[in-house]
Each structure stands twice: as structure tokens, then as C-alpha cells.
Amino acid sequence: MNTIENNAQSRENSSLNQLFIDFLKTETLYHKDAAYYPYPFEDIDCGHLYKRQEVNSTEQMKQLIAESIAYDSRDSTIYYKAKLELPHYIKIDVLDNEHYHAEAFVNQPDSSATLHFNEASIGIPQCFDKTEITLLGIEGDVAYLLLEDKSKSIDYSYTRPGYEFDDDEPTENEKTEWKWKPYREGCNIDIISICGDTDDGIKYCQMGRLSAVVRNNKGAILDFQSLCEDFRHYLWYRNMDVVNSYTAKAFEELQQRFAPIDGGYLHYPLYVVRLQASGHVDNLDVTVHSHSVRPLVRLELTGKFVPRYDHYADEPTLEEMMHQIATIRNNNADSLLLKPVVATYAYHPQRNTLAVVAYLPFCYNTQKWDARLQFSSLTINSIEGIVTLEDDEIVRGRLDNRPYLSQGPYGDAIDMVTIPTPISSNDTLRGELRYYYPDYEATRYDLPRLPMGWRYEEESHTLFIPRDDFHYFDTNNGYDDQGKYNPTIGDIIRTDNEYGLVFERPLKTYIVIKKVRTIGGTVPFTLALPAGPPK
């Protein structure tokens, strides 16, 4: 039986831990040509998006698999979007345009453990089933981790100077056939599953052995992405493939720092992880599954395909909708007009430039496509005078390393410009921010209570709304008595005075969000520019 081991003492060589952190920072320079300043954004609570489902029976497995199988008769293609978060593979046979027969095989880990990390546990290794994890440090929105897989050794002799590689490629006949492996290779912790297809028409879903939940100091769950690399391999590889002198020198120094510590070439793999979250990291839980798995569970299913284009699959539940409504910020004491933030974002050593970012807070108003923010009238004020930045001297762009901020509508409420580096520590950037965003009003109706002029017919599940009221809705969602999204069916019933919405199930709650107006204008700003790169 696997047990959790917690070594209640820090690693003796803290300089080695710093070496791993420095390597990950240099990897960021390699991939992005960027060193980032402290995280300037508000924390984004993503807890309502985490819908992990415990699976305790074969019936649950079958239900989740059945909800994942779709078919498009137009191109005779089976689509499988795995909802079951366990390693499995499946063979699906089409019976007709609406029905299928499938045979699935599912693995479950023998055991699992959740390891907790916070600032107090920095440098203290924790181990479960020969997987040792150490929190190396926390810096704002980034946590650095070291993962050592003691279940196997790898021969790193190819990293020694003068090693000669065998260039012979395997022939087609020598290539191995597909073999089921429940777990993905490596120690990535931000990818729950990797799905694919074999030449024999088998669809498979491999899982990662590690997963994580990241929180801020208020307990909010943060979204995250991570960079995970085999340290010994990439320390060697980067000293061959880096072309720019700035980064090449940094990797060379790292290799020199590690060489006196390392010895021999047969080692447990060391994976270094840079975990970047949607807010300031306070603590994290890492769940580790055992290397061993239980015997495959065979499931046989015959059923009906789910719709290929399910417009309601990602609609928010009532709980999620109320979370969104709670973030509405209108033109009052908590107005977005008072909240724009301007901050230094990144230093680019190869280009010798500085990235500056401005943003409106992440809220319901700024998650719509009609919210905008943009720099204008920029000047750099230095000891040598005032320099006006012309359009051709400014590079505009979106955040390149934070998809939870830059993707989707919220990306338009963020503007980033790249400017020449400051001349001295007293330089300032001045200018204006042009902005506009919608003002919203949200109302929740729990039936049978409804506004005057509205009515609900229980037998037909139909809600009738006066035409004048309906015209102004930005969002109108219905929910059943379980808080699940309740879609409308068929066409809207139209009369001279009202609209009728026919719901799939009995209606319990109706949410109305309407746009009141658009607020816009300009605000001035002054930003003190740093004299050098971030530490």
C-alpha cells in the first residue's frame, strides 16, 4: 500500500533549488524573449469552471461515455469528446445514423494521494509512490516545483561531450504497433487528458498521473498553465540549440553550476515545473495517482448518438450564472471608470524594449465584445526632455503567455504596448486611456413570482413576456428546479403584444440581463518606468 512521505526538513542545498528556478526563468527567456515584472492583474476566480466528477460505479462510467459519443452523417464521422476523466479506450461501431454499439475499457489507479504545498513547505520534499515533489518557491502568480520520478532510471550518457548518436531510423516494418498505456509520459500537471485515434479506429484517452488545484490567499481556485521539462535533457539540449548570445550565455552558466553537483549518467529523471496561475498563488494541492492500475473494466454500450452540435453543452448552471452576475460593475462607487490599471509588464532583452499593459478589471462588463481599452497620446518624459511616441514606434499586441486573460472578449479590455527602454530611473510614461464598456442590469425571477404583465403556463412550460420588455435582453436564461440550464425548444411564439418561450422542462428560475447603456471616455495616466529588468 502506498503511503505519503513528508520529509520534515528542507533540502540541504538551497542553491540547487535556486538553480532549478533560474533554469525555468531562462527557459522563459528562450521561449518568449521576456523577463516578467510582478503580476499586475487582479486574481481571477475560476472555481465555478472546475467540474471534476468523482466516478464510483460502472454505471457512472457508462453514462459519461454515452454523453461523449456523437456522429455526423454528412461526412460519416464519429466524434468522441471524452467526459470520463479516467484512462480508457473505446471502439465504436455505427449501426445507423442515430445509433451505435461500443466496447470500452477503463483503468482506475490502485491508489491516490493529495499533497498540500504552501510557503511554509518550500524546500520540503513530499513523496507518494516513488514520486517526490518539492515546492521550490512562489513568486506572485508563479509557483516553481521539482518532480523526481524514482520509479525508473534514465541513461543520460548522450549528454556527455563527444557522444556519437546512431542516426539509423527504424524502418516501417520495425515500428511498433499501438499499445495501450493508461498514463501519459512525463509529469505534466496541467493537462488532464490526451485523446487520439489509432489506425484501427480505436479512440483512446490517456491521463496524467498528476493534477493540481491552485488557490489564492482567499481560497479562490485559480486557472493555470505549466511548463514541465526534463531538467537534465533540456539543460544539455539548450546548450546546443540556442542561437542568441544573451540566452546562450545564461544556459552555459547554468550548466557550469550544475556540473560540479551532478555525477555519472544514470539518474532518476528530474522534472522542473513553472506553474503560472490566473492570480497570486498562495497554496496548491497536487494529486498523485499510483503507477499501478486496477485491471481493465470492460463496458458494452448500445445507444443513441448525442447531437453533434450541442448548443447547450457549455451553458452555465444557475450557480455559475449567479457567480457571473455577482461580478457586474456599473457606474457607481465601484465604477470601472475609477479602476483602470497601468503597469510595466515585461522586459525584452533581445529587442531592448519594455512592455507596458493597461487593463480594466475582469468582470461581467468586460467579458463582452463591446468593452474596449486603448493607449493613446504616449510620451516618455526623461532628464533629456519629452519624447512623443509615434504610431510606428509603438508595437501593440495581446498578452502572449496568459491565455485566460488574452483569449476571448476580455482581451479587448486589455491593451499592451512595447516601447523603447527608459534612459534613467526617473523616466515616466504619460498618456491617456480611451475606454468604453457596457452598463448592465441583472434580475432573477423565481417562479411563480413574475413582473407585472408576464405569465407562465405550467402545462406547456411556456413563459410569456411583453414584447417591449423582451427587446432589451442581453441574456435570458431559464433553469429547472435542480439549477440546471433549461433550454427553449421550437420557435418563439409571437403575438402582437408578447413573446412566448417554450422550455424543455418545467421552469423554476429565469435570469434576465439587459444592457442599460455604454459608458466611454478618456482618463490620463502617469507611470514611473523601471530602470532595469526584473530580478
Side-chain angles (χ1 to χ4, degrees):
M1 180 177 178
N2 293 308
T3 58
I4 300 173
E5 299 174 24
N6 190 327
N7 302 322
Q9 58 180 8
S10 299
R11 286 183 176 268
E12 295 179 1
N13 196 343
S14 60
S15 62
L16 181 59
N17 291 350
Q18 187 59 49
L19 170 64
F20 296 135
I21 293 175
D22 292 343
F23 171 81
L24 286 164
K25 289 183 177 180
T26 308
E27 278 289 88
T28 303
L29 278 175
Y30 170 80
H31 289 287
K32 302 292 185 181
D33 180 35
Y36 294 97
Y37 291 96
Y39 185 71
F41 301 98
E42 293 181 349
D43 294 356
I44 299 178
D45 182 353
C46 297
H48 62 290
L49 300 177
Y50 276 69
K51 301 178 182 178
R52 304 287 164 77
Q53 184 170 351
E54 293 290 333
V55 178
N56 300 311
S57 69
T58 56
E59 289 305 312
Q60 283 180 290
M61 294 180 191
K62 292 175 74 171
Q63 179 182 348
L64 291 170
I65 290 173
E67 292 174 358
S68 307
I69 304 173
Y71 181 70
D72 193 336
S73 59
R74 293 171 299 181
D75 57 6
S76 301
T77 302
I78 299 171
Y79 293 90
Y80 186 73
K81 185 177 181 180
K83 292 187 176 183
L84 175 63
E85 293 183 356
L86 287 172
H88 64 283
Y89 63 94
I90 183 170
K91 182 71 168 64
I92 305 168
D93 295 315
V94 178
L95 300 180
D96 55 45
N97 286 346
E98 294 187 352
H99 300 88
Y100 66 87
H101 176 268
E103 186 179 29
F105 296 87
V106 184
N107 274 131
Q108 290 178 287
D110 270 335
S111 57
S112 302
T114 298
L115 312 179
H116 182 72
F117 298 90
N118 56 24
E119 200 166 290
S121 59
I122 290 176
I124 301 175
Q126 298 185 47
C127 188
F128 177 76
D129 192 24
K130 299 182 180 181
T131 302
E132 185 175 280
I133 304 176
T134 306
L135 176 63
L136 302 174
I138 297 175
E139 296 180 3
D141 64 323
V142 175
Y144 297 100
L145 299 165
L146 176 68
L147 283 61
E148 188 168 9
D149 184 356
K150 294 185 176 182
S151 68
K152 61 181 179 181
S153 295
I154 293 179
D155 183 1
Y156 290 93
S157 58
Y158 66 87
T159 65
R160 71 173 184 261
Y163 181 87
E164 294 186 6
F165 288 89
D166 183 2
D167 293 332
D168 293 337
E169 292 289 334
T171 65
E172 191 67 30
N173 293 332
E174 292 175 331
K175 292 182 180 179
T176 58
E177 295 182 357
W178 177 81
K179 184 179 180 181
W180 168 241
K181 294 181 180 179
Y183 293 132
R184 297 183 59 246
E185 293 293 334
C187 287
N188 282 295
I189 62 176
D190 63 339
I191 301 175
I192 299 301
S193 63
I194 293 293
C195 298
D197 298 84
T198 71
D199 294 337
D200 298 328
I202 295 174
K203 299 181 182 296
Y204 63 88
C205 182
Q206 289 179 304
M207 310 301 291
R209 282 187 55 246
L210 285 76
S211 61
V213 176
V214 183
R215 300 179 182 86
N216 68 3
N217 60 3
K218 295 181 180 178
I221 295 177
L222 308 175
D223 193 6
F224 71 90
Q225 59 181 4
S226 69
L227 171 72
C228 177
E229 293 184 342
D230 181 331
F231 174 74
R232 286 188 177 89
H233 172 79
Y234 279 98
L235 181 62
W236 162 77
Y237 189 72
R238 290 291 179 254
N239 278 277
M240 297 191 307
D241 78 331
V242 175
V243 293
N244 67 72
S245 58
Y246 183 91
T247 313
K249 183 179 179 181
F251 278 117
E252 183 180 351
E253 291 175 352
L254 287 167
Q255 193 170 47
Q256 291 171 355
R257 287 165 59 186
F258 188 65
I261 302 171
D262 206 1
Y265 292 99
L266 192 64
H267 299 283
Y268 298 132
L270 290 173
Y271 297 97
V272 287
V273 179
R274 181 182 187 272
L275 187 155
Q276 183 172 277
S278 62
H280 298 80
V281 177
D282 181 78
N283 64 87
L284 60 151
D285 292 332
V286 179
T287 298
V288 185
H289 299 305
S290 60
H291 288 87
S292 59
V293 295
R294 301 172 190 173
L296 283 166
V297 175
R298 179 183 176 276
L299 303 172
E300 191 169 359
L301 302 87
T302 300
K304 190 173 182 179
F305 292 112
V306 298
R308 169 70 182 97
Y309 301 103
D310 186 353
H311 299 289
Y312 310 114
D314 298 320
E315 290 291 344
T317 64
L318 179 59
E319 180 184 2
E320 293 165 353
M321 194 72 240
M322 294 308 296
H323 175 87
Q324 292 182 26
I325 289 174
T327 69
I328 291 177
R329 297 191 188 184
N330 289 331
N331 195 26
N332 49 34
D334 196 33
S335 169
L336 291 180
L337 177 59
L338 307 176
K339 303 288 184 175
V341 175
V342 182
T344 50
Y345 183 67
Y347 170 67
H348 302 286
Q350 290 302 305
R351 291 168 278 174
N352 195 27
T353 57
L354 192 70
V356 178
V357 67
Y359 69 93
L360 291 168
F362 184 87
C363 61
Y364 187 89
N365 309 64
T366 55
Q367 292 179 70
K368 300 295 178 181
W369 289 110
D370 45 359
R372 296 287 188 277
L373 185 72
Q374 189 175 50
F375 284 105
S376 65
S377 306
L378 297 180
T379 61
I380 295 179
N381 304 266
S382 69
I383 55 176
E384 296 186 357
I386 299 175
V387 177
T388 300
L389 296 176
E390 304 296 338
D391 288 343
D392 59 357
E393 297 177 273
I394 301 171
V395 178
R396 297 185 183 273
R398 286 199 169 199
L399 307 184
D400 59 352
N401 69 327
R402 291 184 168 95
Y404 33 78
L405 293 173
S406 59
Q407 293 177 357
Y410 184 57
D412 289 337
I414 303 172
D415 196 18
M416 185 175 69
V417 294
T418 303
I419 63 174
T421 53
I423 298 173
S424 70
S425 58
N426 296 319
D427 288 7
T428 59
L429 179 70
R430 294 179 181 174
E432 292 182 335
L433 293 173
R434 298 174 182 170
Y435 68 91
Y436 55 95
Y437 61 88
D439 200 352
Y440 287 106
E441 180 181 287
T443 308
R444 169 177 172 168
Y445 302 108
D446 292 310
L447 279 66
R449 298 184 62 183
L450 288 171
M452 185 176 296
W454 294 32
R455 60 190 179 89
Y456 177 66
E457 291 184 356
E458 293 186 10
E459 185 175 346
S460 62
H461 310 157
T462 305
L463 178 66
F464 290 94
I465 303 171
R467 290 179 68 97
D468 291 342
D469 290 346
F470 191 88
H471 178 74
Y472 296 103
F473 294 164
D474 178 76
T475 297
N476 54 310
N477 286 357
Y479 299 91
D480 62 19
D481 58 358
Q482 301 297 314
K484 294 182 180 179
Y485 179 75
N486 190 0
T488 57
I489 57 176
D491 295 329
I492 296 175
I493 300 171
R494 290 176 170 84
T495 69
D496 292 340
N497 301 316
E498 59 187 4
Y499 284 148
L501 301 176
V502 182
F503 289 87
E504 187 178 272
R505 302 182 299 279
L507 183 66
K508 177 61 179 176
T509 301
Y510 191 65
I511 301 288
V512 172
I513 302 175
K514 61 182 179 181
K515 180 178 175 180
V516 179
R517 58 178 170 168
T518 297
I519 300 170
T522 60
V523 290
F525 74 90
T526 300
L527 174 68
L529 297 175
K535 296 181 180 180

